[in-house]
């Protein structure tokens, strides 16, 4: 797995809803036009905690105070270091710097596997791995803290 791509992603939650990013619909990225979590690639030698803080600042201009490790999800595509934290600001206080849209999704929408985007004017699927991670997280009951 040492040659695998490593990414750090964040489950940010508020009022039993989860912050999702609608990925740009461009063909040269992984999962274009899919809802995913904010975060990104680790730079060479970078710690996942630091990488996630850097990515969140770049993508939405926000770093949660208490990012805690939830788990690690390796597959053929990437090793995903997953963290979680409450979203302590209103959605309109975040500034989307990367992606097509962002919104909060209910667990019902996550189970359904797709979510409407007003900005992108359509219904878009969740990245399957992200759906699994969020359902695992919901089952773990960490989201109720």
């Amino acid at each position: 797995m040492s040659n695998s791509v490593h990414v750090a992603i964040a489950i940010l939650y508020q009022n039993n809803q989860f912050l999702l990013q609608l990925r740009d619909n461009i063909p040269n990225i992984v999962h274009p036009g899919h809802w995913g979590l904010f975060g990104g690639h680790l730079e060479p030698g970078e710690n996942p905690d630091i990488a996630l803080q850097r990515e969140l600042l770049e993508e939405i201009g926000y770093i949660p105070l208490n990012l805690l490790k939830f788990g690690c999800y390796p597959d053929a595509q990437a090793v995903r270091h997953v963290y979680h934290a409450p979203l302590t600001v209103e959605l309109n206080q975040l500034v989307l710097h990367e992606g097509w849209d962002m919104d909060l999704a209910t667990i019902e929408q996550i189970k359904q596997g797709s979510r409407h985007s007003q900005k992108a004017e359509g219904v878009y699927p969740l990245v399957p791995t992200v759906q699994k991670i969020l359902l695992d997280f919901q089952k773990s009951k960490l989201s109720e803290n």
Side-chain angles (χ1 to χ4, degrees), residues 12 23 28 34 39 62 67 85-86 93 96 98 103 118 127:
L12 300 177
R23 297 178 57 78
N28 63 337
H34 282 62
Y62 171 78
L67 277 167
Q93 291 181 265
L96 184 65
E98 189 174 304
D103 209 349
Q118 225 173 332
V127 174

Side-chain angles (χ1 to χ4, degrees), residues 104-123:
L104 293 167
T106 64
I107 197 66
E108 290 74 27
Q109 291 165 327
I110 289 158
K111 285 177 182 172
Q112 185 181 312
S114 61
R115 174 93 173 70
H116 182 266
S117 165
Q118 225 173 332
K119 189 174 179 183
E121 300 177 338
V123 175

Side-chain angles (χ1 to χ4, degrees), residues 22-56:
L22 182 56
R23 297 178 57 78
D24 288 312
N25 199 14
I26 50 177
N28 63 337
I29 64 169
V30 178
H31 300 296
H34 282 62
W35 289 101
L37 296 171
F38 285 98
H41 292 82
L42 276 63
E43 300 293 335
E46 191 175 34
N47 173 307
D49 303 43
I50 301 302
L52 184 57
Q53 290 179 32
R54 175 182 52 75
E55 287 285 347
L56 290 174

